[in-house]
Amino acid sequence: MTPTSTPAPLAADLVAETAERAGVSRREAVRRAGLYGAVLAASPLALAALSKQAYSQTTLPADIRAVLELALTLEFLERDFYQGGLDSGVIDASERDVFAAILEHEIDHIAFIQPLLGLSGEEGRPPAGFDFTAGGRFAPFEDYEQFLILSEGFTNTGVRAYKGGAPILMPNDTILQGALTIHSVEARHASIVRRIRGQKGWIPVDPTTAPPNTIQAVFGPGDPASMFPPESNTLQGTVQLSGLSGVTADQIVEAFDEPLDRATVLSIAAPFIVGDNP
Amino acid sequence: MSDLLTPTATGRRGFLQRATLGLGALAAASTLQACDSDDPVDPVADVTLDFSTDTGVLNYAYALEQLEAAFYAQVVGASAFNTTFSNADERQVLRDLAAHEAIHAEFFRRALGAAAIGTVTPDFSSVDFASRASVLGTARTFEDLGVAAYNGAGKYLTSQANLTLAGKIVSVEARHAAAIRDLLEPRSRLSVDSRDPANPSFDTALEPRAVLDAADPFLTTTIAITGLPTSDS
């Protein structure tokens, strides 16, 4: 993946754009900087290289940093999980290509997020690493079905986490758009993993039926539930879709994914982060 | 929160209400000339979307959902559907996609209310609905394009509520895209890769103009764009 080259002044322009946003409207800042064409022509990896120059720890607002740090934690978790799965041989030969590609994606996502936070290498990964047995509850690297169950949990949590964090990224168009391009790829992952498990790629009213699994929290409500409803939600904006004719109750619920708040995402991930569970 | 119907400062909401399909080019043109924007506008377009308002961005999404809904309705409504798709799982995928896109379109129609654009008329003359390859190839194009459209439009939204709504839909379109790709090349990396094979880890984010250019072969309705921050919109 070769990053697209970008003009040299772009880094300084990005800083100016970020600073200006505090005082001028988003569109006016962009109009002054005239960046849209150049920024959008650049691949996310090129933007990440630039952002290492443009963004320091003092440039990003704390709430944006927090969203990116959470995303980075999840990406490291997924990277190590899929690396572990591939190394262990637990993955069915017919599906190795899928998980190898997912692993590549997570590695690239880490490479995009880290420079935005002034990080590199293994920085941003929980210092004690991960325990994918969750203290002995699971054996994902021995039992393929358990690997798939956890994969379904991680992929769908990732989608909900990015979705929950997106509004916080709105003051920075570049970071928002980058996050959106990751968010939709995570949804592709989530769809395929459910299909590998013999389920639909989308989330119906009751997604936890077959086979028995332990990831209800992944599809449940966040906090507050009014802002982060369960996946069975039918109220979209001010439109109540329940009872819509010509479609099933499952299809109404499947048509929309739901965001998840930071605290709930962390509580889902905590059992797998060494040192996070008392 | 009713951000979907937030009026704009310039009163463009009324402007948009007039710029709906069926009014005729002359009425639309005179309305556009009354506008103080210096953006170039196509006076003969059936629909004009103003990206300086969330309403315009959401109508853009509504237009694309209408296109997808019409496509899948024709797919599952084809007389040869059960033979073109002899696999029950594939038929269910396509029925679900038909339902989801119709739900998305209906959602936008209700949410936008009086500010909603009219019916977008498709052109599927290039699609062979009796060919699995043609249908799935077109479906893949639409789903991947839909993801790219939402990803590129997100930054133009100004309300958090509207961005969240768009976010709730784009991930479902991405699930669709992956499922279609899985039907085309089962359990391959194609099924999880992004729309751009040269950049598979990150999905595309296309500008509205590029999206509508790509969708143009499948549209009878002409759609113009205004209100974008660059001069080459």
Side-chain angles (χ1 to χ4, degrees), chain A residues 179-243:
Chain A
L180 292 176
T181 65
I182 293 175
H183 164 250
S184 57
V185 167
E186 300 288 349
R188 294 175 187 264
H189 300 173
S191 181
I192 294 305
V193 171
R194 280 183 53 84
R195 287 179 58 78
I196 289 174
R197 293 195 65 205
Q199 301 169 322
K200 295 184 176 187
W202 22 94
I203 313 302
V205 174
D206 183 359
T208 64
T209 47
N213 66 55
T214 54
I215 56 172
Q216 278 117 332
V218 170
F219 302 113
D223 182 23
S226 55
M227 277 186 66
F228 306 101
E231 283 290 338
S232 55
N233 175 45
T234 58
L235 177 65
Q236 300 302 341
T238 57
V239 181
Q240 177 54 260
L241 293 169
S242 175

Side-chain angles (χ1 to χ4, degrees), chain B residues 165-186:
Chain B
L165 286 167
K168 295 194 201 197
I169 293 174
V170 65
S171 58
V172 175
E173 303 294 356
R175 292 178 188 267
H176 290 174
I180 293 293
R181 283 156 164 264
D182 195 32
L183 296 183
L184 285 165
E185 282 190 32

Side-chain angles (χ1 to χ4, degrees), chain A residues 7-18:
Chain A
L10 190 56
D13 288 340
L14 283 169
V15 176
E17 181 187 356
T18 307

Side-chain angles (χ1 to χ4, degrees), chain B:
Chain B
M1 252 190 285
S2 326
D3 296 60
L4 290 165
L5 297 179
T6 303
T8 64
T10 59
R12 282 184 173 174
R13 184 185 184 184
F15 159 86
L16 283 170
Q17 286 175 310
R18 291 190 288 277
T20 54
L21 189 63
L23 279 181
L26 188 58
S30 61
T31 300
L32 294 168
Q33 283 154 18
C35 169
D36 65 358
S37 164
D38 59 5
D39 293 324
V41 176
D42 179 353
V44 299
D46 298 317
V47 172
T48 298
L49 302 170
D50 182 358
F51 271 72
S52 72
T53 69
D54 279 22
T55 298
V57 180
L58 296 176
N59 265 315
Y60 166 66
Y62 178 37
L64 296 172
E65 296 291 348
Q66 285 192 53
L67 181 61
E68 288 182 304
F71 170 71
Y72 289 113
Q74 201 160 336
V75 169
V76 303
S79 55
F81 179 58
N82 286 359
T83 47
T84 304
F85 295 94
S86 54
N87 179 293
D89 172 59
E90 292 192 349
R91 288 199 298 274
Q92 190 57 54
V93 167
L94 292 167
R95 282 198 207 96
D96 280 347
L97 265 52
H100 298 165
E101 308 305 4
I103 291 164
H104 292 162
E106 179 62 13
F107 161 72
F108 281 117
R109 192 187 69 79
R110 294 188 185 190
L112 287 160
I117 59 173
T119 303
V120 165
T121 305
D123 175 359
F124 298 132
S125 53
S126 63
V127 182
D128 179 358
F129 287 94
S131 158
R132 179 180 181 275
S134 180
V135 168
L136 293 185
T138 307
R140 172 191 170 174
T141 294
F142 282 163
E143 299 295 346
D144 280 348
L145 188 63
V147 169
Y150 277 105
N151 284 347
K155 59 185 179 291
Y156 295 120
L157 290 167
T158 60
S159 107
Q160 292 190 329
N162 290 337
L163 179 66
T164 295
L165 286 167
K168 295 194 201 197
I169 293 174
V170 65
S171 58
V172 175
E173 303 294 356
R175 292 178 188 267
H176 290 174
I180 293 293
R181 283 156 164 264
D182 195 32
L183 296 183
L184 285 165
E185 282 190 32
R187 306 299 190 258
S188 67
R189 69 169 300 153
L190 181 79
S191 70
V192 288
D193 279 348
S194 80
R195 177 176 174 271
D196 183 357
N199 203 8
S201 304
F202 302 89
D203 246 312
T204 329
L206 283 180
E207 286 302 297
R209 189 79 59 205
V211 170
L212 292 172
D213 285 350
D216 189 64
F218 302 102
L219 284 167
T220 298
T221 303
T222 57
I223 303 176
I225 289 178
T226 186
L228 288 173
T230 53
S231 59
D232 60 348
S233 60

Side-chain angles (χ1 to χ4, degrees), chain A residues 37-270:
Chain A
V39 165
L40 295 167
S43 77
L45 290 178
L47 291 175
L50 290 168
S51 62
K52 194 167 186 177
Q53 307 167 46
Y55 297 110
S56 69
Q57 294 196 3
T58 56
T59 303
L60 288 183
D63 56 352
I64 290 182
R65 284 195 64 83
V67 170
L68 295 175
E69 285 165 355
L70 178 62
L72 186 57
T73 299
L74 295 178
E75 295 289 352
F76 270 116
L77 183 152
E78 290 178 304
R79 183 201 70 175
D80 285 12
F81 179 71
Y82 292 113
Q83 188 70 66
L86 288 161
D87 289 346
S88 71
V90 73
I91 297 171
D92 195 280
S94 67
E95 281 139 12
R96 277 192 71 87
D97 286 353
V98 171
F99 291 106
I102 289 178
L103 172 62
E104 283 183 27
H105 298 173
E106 312 305 15
I107 290 169
D108 286 343
H109 297 167
I110 288 168
F112 171 72
I113 297 170
Q114 279 181 314
L116 300 175
L117 297 168
L119 304 174
S120 63
E122 292 296 290
E123 292 170 338
R125 180 179 180 271
F130 304 103
D131 172 13
F132 296 113
T133 74
R137 283 174 67 197
F138 305 107
F141 300 147
E142 297 165 36
D143 181 316
Y144 189 39
E145 185 57 33
Q146 291 189 37
F147 173 85
L148 291 173
I149 286 170
L150 292 194
S151 179
E152 180 175 356
F154 296 148
T155 52
N156 285 284
T157 299
V159 175
R160 298 191 72 183
Y162 274 104
K163 199 187 311 299
I168 299 169
L169 303 178
M170 285 179 84
N172 189 307
D173 286 356
T174 305
I175 292 178
L176 170 65
Q177 188 159 292
L180 292 176
T181 65
I182 293 175
H183 164 250
S184 57
V185 167
E186 300 288 349
R188 294 175 187 264
H189 300 173
S191 181
I192 294 305
V193 171
R194 280 183 53 84
R195 287 179 58 78
I196 289 174
R197 293 195 65 205
Q199 301 169 322
K200 295 184 176 187
W202 22 94
I203 313 302
V205 174
D206 183 359
T208 64
T209 47
N213 66 55
T214 54
I215 56 172
Q216 278 117 332
V218 170
F219 302 113
D223 182 23
S226 55
M227 277 186 66
F228 306 101
E231 283 290 338
S232 55
N233 175 45
T234 58
L235 177 65
Q236 300 302 341
T238 57
V239 181
Q240 177 54 260
L241 293 169
S242 175
L244 195 60
S245 65
V247 293
T248 68
D250 273 342
Q251 287 166 339
I252 290 170
V253 157
E254 291 162 355
F256 297 83
D257 283 334
E258 300 298 336
L260 211 52
D261 59 292
R262 172 188 178 80
T264 306
V265 170
L266 285 170
S267 72
I268 291 170

